[in-house]
Amino acid sequence: MFGRVLIANRGEIALRIIRACRELGIEPICVFSEADRDGPWLKHADEAVCIGPGPAKESYLRIDRIISAAEITNVDAIHPGYGFLSENAHFAEVCRDCQIEFIGPSPEAMAQLGDKIAAKRLAKQVGLPTFPGSDGALEDPEEAMKVAREIGFPVIVKAAAGGGGRGMRIARNEESLRLGLESARQEAAAAFGNGAVYIEKFLEKARHLEIQVLGDKHGNAVHLYERDCTSQRRHQKLIEEAPAPNIDPAKRDQVANAAASLIRAAKYSGAATVEFLMDRGADFHMLEVNTRVQVEHPVTELVTGVDIVKEMIRVAAGEKLPFKQSDVRLKGHAIECRINAEDPDRNFMPQAGRIETFAAPGGPGIRLDSHARSGYRIPPNYDSMIGKLIAFGPDRTSAIARLRQALREFEIGPVKTTIPLHQRLLETAHFVNADFDIHYVERFLKGE
Ligand code: MV4
């Protein structure tokens, strides 16, 4: 096992990785920016190294400075967390060249599954259901028109290098497809340095499901079932839960096993998530693969008993996954609310500044993953998420009841947060009955 691990991240996920390191007897080392100098998580690291000014481009995204910090502190491995450099195959390659273990997939597996065209091709080969569409990148508009006529409008244009909704265009007729192709290509080329685009059939009403998979370096891959991440706004998830309510158990097993086969076929080690849309007939359609630990991993941990962050570290150190597929059993239900320092009454404007009051909830089945506390000053430079409140219970109804009470107990001020919004969402019939789709939060916010 590693002796020391560098955490190339900040906030709640840095704290989550510190906790996993301690359980494994590993010394956690942090890097931090000038804006995070007083970050409460840094006190729990064995060492902390400043890597530059507040803007991420000058600190958390600087490969050279992170590698220097790793060499100065003599770590064996780097955990990238989520965001920042976590899905950067070049960073994973630099780590390998410097003989520092990257806690995640090889650069090759990351590059293959991070390319949505390559991932979809491999997914099809292992039997995952995918949307009908172009077979690979589109070379010219006429090819796109031909495919669109075959599969029928509406279609969606997607960038091979995109993710989280960037570089996408919906087209309902030939004219908008022509325009969408060009603008998606330009946006993708500028944003990702890769203008490759493809099209597929567009599904209007859907739920967003994702299968968690873990792979090791010995060719094993095991899935940990699904999460339902349907509650989201502008591609930012708000509430996630496991297992997904009202799904077809036979279809779920088939798709989850195929998702594990995809990870095995890519010779992938570490944590991966395979994303799907589920239509109203409860059929799955594969979208893309995330090659990192995800924000919402705790709900899966609570219903499977698997510590995903610890397993990521163990498999990076060369250990075999300590369980097989038949050992993984679901028990109970978990729901997570993302607590963002945003003002829902002012178009979710991010709130920087000092938290005066921070009273954490508790009680049976409550987990709070947060780096925030009274006196913590939220810097203006980063994502507005200041924590995640997760409730576990024997069933969905009891998880909702526990989460509602925990939200009542949770006091944060004067900084505005998404707590009151979660309280209202958890009262809606759409959420309570799981009668929802990926647009219901935005409809709710518009008062519909
Ligand atoms: C789609 C889709 C409908 N049909 N693909 C958005 C993010 C990226 N992961 C893929 N996305 C979508 N792909 C087809 N063929 C609708 C979306 C989509 C969406 C998906 C999941 C959660 C929220 C969403 C919001 C808008 C669009």
Side-chain angles (χ1 to χ4, degrees), residues 131 156 158 164-165 168 200-203 208 232 235 275 277 287-288 438-439:
F131 282 108
I156 182 165
K158 295 182 177 184
M168 297 189 335
E200 61 188 25
K201 183 79 186 169
F202 178 68
L203 179 64
H208 186 199
Q232 57 89 44
H235 303 292
E275 288 189 3
L277 290 181
L287 289 178
E288 59 193 78
I438 51 181
H439 306 293

Side-chain angles (χ1 to χ4, degrees), residues 88-248:
N88 184 319
H90 173 64
F91 179 56
E93 198 175 337
V94 173
C95 288
R96 182 165 68 190
D97 292 345
C98 296
Q99 287 160 36
I100 300 164
E101 201 63 45
F102 176 83
I103 300 176
S106 68
E108 293 78 17
M110 191 194 285
Q112 180 177 27
L113 293 184
D115 178 321
K116 292 197 281 178
I117 292 174
K120 188 176 173 183
R121 187 173 291 139
L122 192 60
K124 247 168 113 170
Q125 283 171 18
V126 301
L128 275 171
T130 57
F131 282 108
S134 55
D135 194 26
L138 287 165
E139 296 306 329
D140 69 293
E142 288 322 305
E143 198 183 331
M145 295 305 152
K146 185 164 169 281
V147 177
R149 276 180 221 119
E150 277 165 22
I151 64 178
F153 286 96
V155 300
I156 182 165
V157 182
K158 295 182 177 184
R166 294 192 304 168
M168 297 189 335
R169 297 288 184 280
I170 297 159
R172 300 186 184 276
N173 53 52
E174 296 201 6
E175 189 187 313
S176 73
L177 177 54
R178 243 178 257 283
L179 294 168
L181 273 174
E182 208 34 57
S183 63
R185 189 188 297 285
Q186 279 178 18
E187 186 180 315
F192 319 115
N194 173 1
V197 296
Y198 63 106
I199 66 168
E200 61 188 25
K201 183 79 186 169
F202 178 68
L203 179 64
E204 304 268 5
K205 283 229 160 147
R207 279 165 58 187
H208 186 199
L209 271 54
E210 53 189 33
I211 310 269
Q212 176 71 59
V213 187
L214 286 169
D216 68 20
K217 294 178 179 175
H218 304 270
N220 305 301
V222 174
H223 73 75
L224 302 177
Y225 294 94
E226 78 288 347
R227 296 183 282 263
D228 187 315
C229 307
T230 298
S231 299
Q232 57 89 44
R233 173 187 170 268
R234 297 195 183 174
H235 303 292
Q236 294 296 317
K237 294 165 186 165
L238 282 167
I239 306 175
E240 305 98 343
E241 60 184 298
N246 312 328
I247 63 168
D248 179 325

Side-chain angles (χ1 to χ4, degrees), residues 360-362 366 389 391 401-411:
I366 295 300
L389 178 61
R402 285 175 167 175
L403 191 48
R404 282 181 182 154
Q405 176 58 22
L407 287 164
R408 264 185 225 118
E409 293 174 20
F410 206 171
E411 275 183 64

